[in-house]
C-alpha cells in the first residue's frame, strides 16, 4: 500500500509529495515538529502535542497555520487513510519557501509556512523487545544550542549522539552539561535512588516532554516520590534504576550507563510499573 502523506492541504501518495528546495526547513532547519503516537488507531496525548507545537511556533514567530480541530482532523484522516493501528504521526511546520536564500525572516504576508505530515507504522511499539531487556546508554557532552525547549528540526547532534552510542555498543546517549545530565538524544532522562524518581527540572536546557509530564503526574498519583533537579553522571551510575521517556518509547528502562550496570542490570521494578501505568492510562485517554 502506498503511504498517503499530507502536504500543504493535500493528501497525496508519498511519491507525488513535493516541497521546494528553497524551503527554510531544508536550507536552515527553520522549522518545528511533533510526533504523536498511535495506539489502537487512536492518538495519545494529542492536546499536549498541539499545545507544545503552538509554543514552539510562537517562540520562533511562525504563525500557526491551523487551529486545534483542523490539526486533529488531519491527524485522524492520515491514520485512517494509512490504516495505522500502532505507530505515529509526524508533523513538521517550517517558515516556508520565500524564493531567495536569506538569513532575514521572510515577510509572513508573502511566505506561508510549509506543513507536512506523514505516518509510520510500528507493530513492535507496545510489545517492544527493548523494553523487556532495557537499554544501555553512554554519556556525551551536550553540544546542542541553548533553546532545547523549542522542538526544532535541528537534529544533527542528537543523531550524531546516537551514532556515538552505537559505536560503543550502547543503544543511546545521555547528554551532559557542567557535570549534570540534561536529557537523552530523543528522550527525557530519569534515575531512581531509594525509591525517589529524579529528573532535571524544566528550563531552556531540555525539551519539555509530553510523556515526561504524563509520567510525572502518574507517578505522583501512585504516591511515588518525584524530585525535579539536576543529577550528576556519578549519581546516575550509582542509581538503583534509570529510565527514559518519549512519545514513541513511553517509559523505557535503562540498565547500564557508560558500561556500568545499574542494580542487577535488568529493568527495575519502578520503571517497569511506570511503563504499565503509562500505557494503561494513555490508552484510556486516547482520542
Ligand atoms: N527530549 C528530546 C531531546 C526529544 O527529542 C524528545 C522527543 O523527541 C523528548 C525529550 C521526549 O519528548 P516527548 O515525550 O514529548 O516525546
Amino acid at each position: 500500500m502506498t503511504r498517503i502523506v499530507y502536504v500543504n492541504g493535500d493528501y497525496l501518495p508519498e511519491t507525488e509529495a513535493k516541497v521546494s528546495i528553497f524551503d527554510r526547513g531544508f536550507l536552515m532547519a527553520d522549522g518545528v515538529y511533533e510526533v504523536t503516537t498511535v495506539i489502537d488507531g487512536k492518538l495519545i496525548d494529542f492536546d499536549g502535542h498541539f499545545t507544545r507545537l503552538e509554543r514552539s511556533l510562537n517562540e520562533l514567530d511562525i504563525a500557526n497555520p491551523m487551529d486545534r480541530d483542523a490539526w486533529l482532523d488531519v491527524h485522524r484522516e492520515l491514520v485512517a487513510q494509512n490504516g495505522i493501528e500502532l505507530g505515529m504521526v509526524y508533523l513538521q511546520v517550517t517558515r516556508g519557501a520565500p524564493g531567495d536564500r536569506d538569513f532575514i525572516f521572510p515577510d509572513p504576508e508573502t511566505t506561508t509556512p510549509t506543513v507536512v505530515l506523514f505516518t509510520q507504522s510500528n507493530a513492535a511499539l507496545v510489545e517492544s523487545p527493548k523494553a523487556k531487556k532495557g537499554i544501555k546508554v553512554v554519556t556525551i557532552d551536550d553540544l546542542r544550542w541553548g533553546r532545547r525547549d523549542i522542538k526544532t528540526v535541528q537534529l544533527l547532534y542528537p543523531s550524531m549522539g546516537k551514532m556515538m552510542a552505537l559505536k560503543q555498543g550502547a543503544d543511546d546517549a545521555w547528554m551532559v552539561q557542567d557535570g549534570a545530565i540534561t536529557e537523552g538524544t530523543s528522550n527525557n532522562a530519569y534515575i531512581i535512588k531509594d525509591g525517589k524518581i529524579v529528573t532535571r527540572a524544566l528550563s531552556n536546557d531540555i525539551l519539555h516532554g509530553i510523556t515526561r509530564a504524563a509520567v510525572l503526574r502518574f507517578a505522583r498519583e501512585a504516591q511515588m516520590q518525584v524530585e525535579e533537579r539536576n543529577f550528576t553522571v556519578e549519581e546516575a551510575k550509582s542509581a538503583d534504576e534509570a529510565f527514559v521517556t518519549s512519545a514513541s518509547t513511553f517509559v523505557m528502562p535503562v540498565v547500564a550507563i557508560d558500561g556500568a550496570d545499574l542494580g542487577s542490570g535488568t529493568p527495575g521494578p519502578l520503571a517497569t510499573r511506570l511503563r504499565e501505568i503509562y500505557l494503561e492510562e494513555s490508552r484510556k485517554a486516547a482520542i
Side-chain angles (χ1 to χ4, degrees), residues 33-37 45 48-49 52 144 148 150-152 155 158 162 175 182-190 205-215 244-250 278:
Y33 76 108
E34 283 295 330
V35 174
T36 303
T37 285
D45 233 328
H49 290 284
R52 186 173 60 190
R144 298 172 298 163
R148 304 159 192 157
I150 308 173
K151 197 166 168 67
T152 74
L155 296 178
K162 288 230 198 253
M175 293 178 282
T182 50
E183 59 187 333
T185 57
S186 61
N187 42 60
N188 291 114
Y190 310 73
D205 293 340
I206 61 169
L207 187 72
H208 302 187
I210 302 306
T211 321
R212 177 189 184 280
V215 166
V244 294
T245 63
S246 73
S248 50
T249 60
F250 317 128
Y278 176 78

Side-chain angles (χ1 to χ4, degrees), residues 129-142:
K130 274 198 171 161
K132 292 196 175 79
K133 271 180 56 188
I135 60 165
K136 297 177 180 179
V137 301
V138 291
T139 56
I140 60 172
D141 281 346
D142 197 335

